[in-house]
Amino acid sequence: MALVPSYIKQLTAYKAGKSVDQARRELGLESFVKMASNENPLGPSPKAIDAMNSVMKNMHYYPEASGYHLRDALAKKYNVMIDNVILGAGSEGVMSTIMRTFLLTDDELISAKNSFIGFKVLANASGRKAHWLPMKNYRYDLKAIGEKITDYTKIIYLANPDNPMGTYITRSEFDEFYTHVPERCLIILDEAYYEFAKDKPDYPDSMTYRYDNVITLRTFSKAYGLAGARIGYGLAHKNLIENLIKVKVPFEPSLPAQAAGLGALMDQSHLENTLKVTQDGISFLEKNLSMMNIKTVPSATNFITTLWDSEEGAKLITEKLFRQGYIVRQLNAFGWPDAIRISVGTMEQNRGIIKKLKEILKEN
Ligand SMILES: Cc1ncc(COP(=O)(O)O)c(C=O)c1O
């Protein structure tokens, strides 16, 4: 169709991991364990659920466009001003607003080739030139990214920790890299997995030092168990936020999403439980996968990426697990076809998947 721009025609739509409902339809199995999309196996906080229920009777009203209460709560949490906070329908919602706010026609983008697909989709949909640089040892190659910066570079996207590899950029690496970035270049620091990584001593929590050309993105989708509500936020200099707010879809995020975020922030014990379940799960999975001689990439997140000998091998394991009721994600869409990402589950789910993997490997 002539009315569709060629850069949109060339796009491939984002293909999410299989949902449980989809899996049921495909296989007719009653129960599935979903360990494919890095969701919280404990579910949302009861306080978030109560908060959502409490606004249901007001669903005929638009939410307050400024998102005042949740922005105020986040500002207090991070010791910044409300003017430093923007909300979005997930952190991807904020990412989308960023892409619509700052890019001039000739501006270019730089990121890693095989990192988070969500950014890649937005970058390609923007029609701007993007440079996708290979990762090194499953990590961002900041040296290569720094060397690629030109007068045209406007946005650099870094997921820290990264999805789908689970690795992170250290504080000293980021500090060194930052010296190569001109002020007119915006760095998007996507910290969707921040809560899982924050206690690593060399993890650079970007809120402890603020740069005017860095926007931090965080989300309620992972550690707070609210992926379905679509609620995330950005933290940055007020001049950036002020302009982002001009471009943002006015009533995003929805009324229940904002309420859920506020409820979740009030439930510290749910967050702590989640972090404990995740840490125990990572240790358990790492230990057992290693005993089975399955290679893994060290993870600072709520998932573990496993490495197999071939694309075919990874496909077969993914399919066999699926037929046994476990949904995991082969990473071909991310450019790692011989890798499978396994999200941490409850301890029962972690034990279950290891048991199935052992059986499958015995068969092969
Ligand atoms: C690195 C990264 N950024 C952003 C997101 C999306 O988060 P949200 O649900 O807040 O849009 C994800 C989700 O998988 C992710 O892995």
Side-chain angles (χ1 to χ4, degrees):
M1 254 171 107
L3 62 86
V4 183
S6 61
Y7 59 89
I8 298 291
K9 277 190 195 154
Q10 281 161 19
L11 284 182
T12 327
Y14 177 70
K15 206 164 156 254
K18 270 194 184 94
S19 70
V20 169
D21 189 49
Q22 211 181 342
R24 276 199 199 114
R25 275 183 274 132
E26 271 181 39
L27 218 65
L29 266 184
E30 200 31 56
S31 77
F32 271 96
V33 178
K34 190 177 179 208
M35 301 172 89
S37 301
N38 313 333
E39 293 146 336
N40 187 330
L42 302 182
S45 144
K47 289 192 179 163
I49 298 174
D50 286 349
M52 280 188 274
N53 284 336
S54 74
V55 296
M56 284 306 166
K57 60 182 180 305
N58 295 329
M59 286 289 276
H60 54 306
Y61 291 126
Y62 286 102
E64 196 186 291
S66 74
Y68 176 81
H69 292 290
L70 182 54
R71 285 173 70 213
D72 183 52
L74 288 164
K76 291 196 171 100
K77 176 177 166 66
Y78 292 115
N79 201 16
V80 293
M81 308 293 285
I82 193 168
D83 300 343
N84 299 117
V85 187
I86 183 166
L87 304 178
S91 53
E92 276 196 80
V94 185
M95 224 185 276
S96 165
T97 308
I98 295 171
M99 302 299 276
R100 289 180 289 114
T101 304
F102 298 115
L103 291 171
L104 297 169
T105 316
D106 289 335
D107 284 345
E108 298 183 0
L109 307 107
I110 311 179
S111 191
K113 197 169 174 187
N114 299 324
S115 180
F116 181 54
I117 302 180
F119 177 74
K120 195 169 260 183
V121 171
L122 290 173
N124 291 337
S126 77
R128 303 320 195 279
K129 187 165 182 179
H131 302 273
W132 304 109
L133 304 182
M135 288 181 139
K136 218 172 167 182
N137 296 326
Y138 308 110
R139 306 177 71 232
Y140 273 73
D141 185 351
L142 289 184
K143 187 163 180 292
I145 293 179
E147 284 166 5
K148 201 76 192 172
I149 296 172
T150 66
D151 289 349
Y152 292 103
T153 309
K154 180 55 122 351
I155 289 181
I156 298 173
Y157 169 84
L158 308 172
N160 199 32
D162 171 59
N163 171 22
M165 282 301 146
T167 52
Y168 66 98
I169 297 162
T170 64
R171 177 180 279 264
S172 60
E173 286 168 339
F174 182 80
D175 288 347
E176 207 286 320
F177 169 71
Y178 189 75
T179 63
H180 301 278
V181 182
E183 261 172 42
R184 55 168 175 77
C185 227
L186 177 69
I187 302 177
I188 302 177
L189 259 187
D190 180 345
E191 296 180 348
Y193 301 93
Y194 156 77
E195 289 83 1
F196 306 108
K198 68 179 175 18
D199 294 331
K200 308 252 176 217
D202 55 351
Y203 175 77
D205 173 351
S206 58
M207 292 312 292
T208 59
Y209 52 101
R210 293 303 317 159
Y211 292 121
D212 291 355
N213 59 341
V214 174
I215 178 157
T216 298
L217 300 186
R218 291 188 183 168
T219 183
F220 286 94
S221 294
K222 308 294 175 184
Y224 291 95
L226 287 170
R230 309 308 302 127
I231 174 97
Y233 53 98
L235 302 155
H237 190 284
K238 74 179 180 41
N239 286 347
L240 294 184
I241 298 294
E242 189 184 339
N243 286 290
L244 285 166
I245 285 174
K246 294 179 198 163
V247 176
K248 174 183 161 296
V249 175
F251 297 105
E252 166 190 322
S254 72
L255 184 66
Q258 293 188 34
L262 265 173
L265 283 183
M266 287 189 294
D267 196 345
Q268 190 59 24
S269 80
H270 182 266
L271 177 64
E272 279 163 17
N273 269 342
T274 299
L275 299 183
K276 171 97 176 72
V277 164
T278 307
Q279 192 44 54
D280 291 350
I282 290 275
S283 306
F284 174 85
L285 290 171
E286 267 176 356
K287 185 167 145 225
N288 281 276
L289 292 165
S290 147
M291 285 190 321
M292 294 155 75
N293 289 325
I294 298 170
K295 280 191 224 115
T296 57
V297 182
S299 172
T301 62
N302 63 345
F303 59 83
I304 287 198
T305 291
T306 56
L307 306 170
W308 301 80
D309 290 339
S310 64
E311 173 168 5
E312 282 316 302
K315 184 164 179 243
L316 194 68
I317 298 287
T318 307
E319 280 172 0
K320 286 193 170 185
L321 280 171
F322 180 59
R323 272 183 258 126
Q324 298 283 337
Y326 286 84
I327 312 173
V328 295
R329 186 99 198 249
Q330 187 188 357
L331 298 176
N332 13 10
F334 289 77
W336 305 101
D338 53 0
I340 302 173
R341 192 184 63 197
I342 303 175
S343 309
V344 171
T346 60
M347 200 43 97
E348 191 190 343
Q349 293 171 335
N350 300 331
R351 285 203 187 92
I353 197 167
I354 290 291
K355 186 162 173 275
K356 292 292 175 206
L357 262 175
K358 280 186 184 152
E359 290 167 11
I360 290 168
L361 291 180
K362 235 186 232 162
E363 283 167 21
N364 284 355

